[in-house]
Amino acid sequence: MNDHNVTAPYSTDVTRVQWLGAIVRRRILAGRYRPGEWIREVELQREFGLSNGPVREALQSAVADGLAERAPFRGVRVIDLTEREIVELFEVRSALLEFAAELAAERAGPDAEAGAAELKAGLLEDLNEDAAADMSLRGDLSNWVFGLAGNERLRAAYERPLLQSLLYLGVARKQERVRTALVPPVIAVIDAIAGHRPADARRAVRALTLQILVYLRQAAPANGEK
């Protein structure tokens, strides 16, 4: 998506800071700003015609999301995790999603099967789309799981590791073979929850996480220990 096709929010409830913050987040998750890359305030000021105040606040929102870090006297750069830190991040992500999937399978109501069918249909359609759409589906999956689980505190705890993991998922999932290979484990998660099988839901999330870690190691060897 071309950022300059996004309408400036001057006539809406969205502030310039929120608008630019969303653009920065999208660029990080899409890989336009790579792990470890410095995001230049002056370039964003020039590109979007904003003063340094809104730009600085927008970048701070990326820091607050855990997608970037601010270094004194140097500015803001995208987080750059070691391989060990990436594995630990996905372990945290998996533990939260496993618990949510178990709760979802226990609490799923009559509408769960319809939601599951919609997710699976979207997953297959997504194979023909780009990485950004693929990540959007991941958000749909987790929203469905946490919605069924009915635990907003658990969802809030999951949000930060989710965003950070999407930063690294974007590298591997641009490869068509990776995205195709992840379809069966994602469907296994959906089916276990819709089928009211809590233990299977936990195991399916764990299997999905392990598969993702395999592809992350293959797709991003540069993310090794520093």
Side-chain angles (χ1 to χ4, degrees):
M1 181 180 185
N2 187 331
D3 294 326
H4 294 281
N5 289 335
V6 179
T7 303
Y10 308 122
S11 60
T12 74
D13 292 333
V14 179
T15 68
R16 290 179 296 175
V17 171
Q18 293 171 325
W19 175 67
L20 182 57
I23 290 174
V24 170
R25 175 192 288 192
R26 183 166 61 249
R27 287 182 175 184
I28 292 174
L29 296 180
R32 178 166 174 178
Y33 296 140
R34 306 283 294 180
E37 180 178 348
W38 294 96
I39 306 176
R40 306 297 178 185
E41 290 185 18
V42 66
E43 292 179 2
L44 290 174
Q45 291 173 33
R46 187 182 306 116
E47 181 179 359
F48 294 101
L50 298 173
S51 63
N52 65 332
V55 170
R56 189 162 298 172
E57 288 185 57
L59 291 178
Q60 189 57 38
S61 70
V63 174
D65 286 337
L67 294 175
E69 57 188 3
R70 184 178 293 278
F73 308 110
R74 296 200 64 185
V76 172
R77 68 175 179 178
V78 181
I79 59 169
D80 191 10
L81 304 181
T82 66
E83 181 177 337
R84 179 176 180 178
E85 288 171 330
I86 293 172
V87 170
E88 290 172 349
L89 170 65
F90 275 85
E91 288 290 340
V92 171
R93 181 179 185 267
S94 179
L96 293 169
L97 190 57
E98 284 178 46
F99 183 43
E102 181 179 12
L103 291 177
E106 292 173 349
R107 300 173 178 177
D111 296 336
E113 289 188 14
E118 183 178 343
L119 275 175
K120 288 193 285 187
L123 178 63
L124 296 176
E125 291 176 4
D126 188 64
L127 289 176
N128 299 318
E129 301 296 333
D130 59 18
D134 195 36
M135 288 188 289
S136 175
L137 178 66
R138 297 290 301 172
D140 289 344
L141 174 63
S142 61
N143 284 336
W144 179 70
V145 171
F146 283 99
L148 292 176
N151 189 318
E152 289 304 314
R153 290 185 178 179
L154 188 60
R155 185 200 294 266
Y158 181 76
E159 184 174 354
R160 186 182 181 94
L162 171 65
L163 284 174
Q164 291 180 329
S165 64
L166 287 178
L167 170 60
Y168 289 91
L169 273 172
V171 176
R173 300 182 75 189
K174 287 179 181 178
Q175 302 180 28
E176 184 177 354
R177 68 177 183 85
V178 174
R179 296 163 64 200
T180 302
L182 290 178
V183 170
V186 170
I187 289 180
V189 173
I190 296 171
D191 286 343
I193 292 173
H196 305 279
R197 304 193 307 274
D200 288 346
R202 266 190 176 273
R203 283 192 289 270
V205 170
R206 169 58 51 175
L208 173 61
T209 300
L210 293 176
Q211 188 67 69
I212 289 172
L213 286 172
V214 167
Y215 284 120
L216 280 175
R217 290 191 177 102
Q218 294 175 355
N223 287 331
E225 294 288 350
K226 299 174 181 61

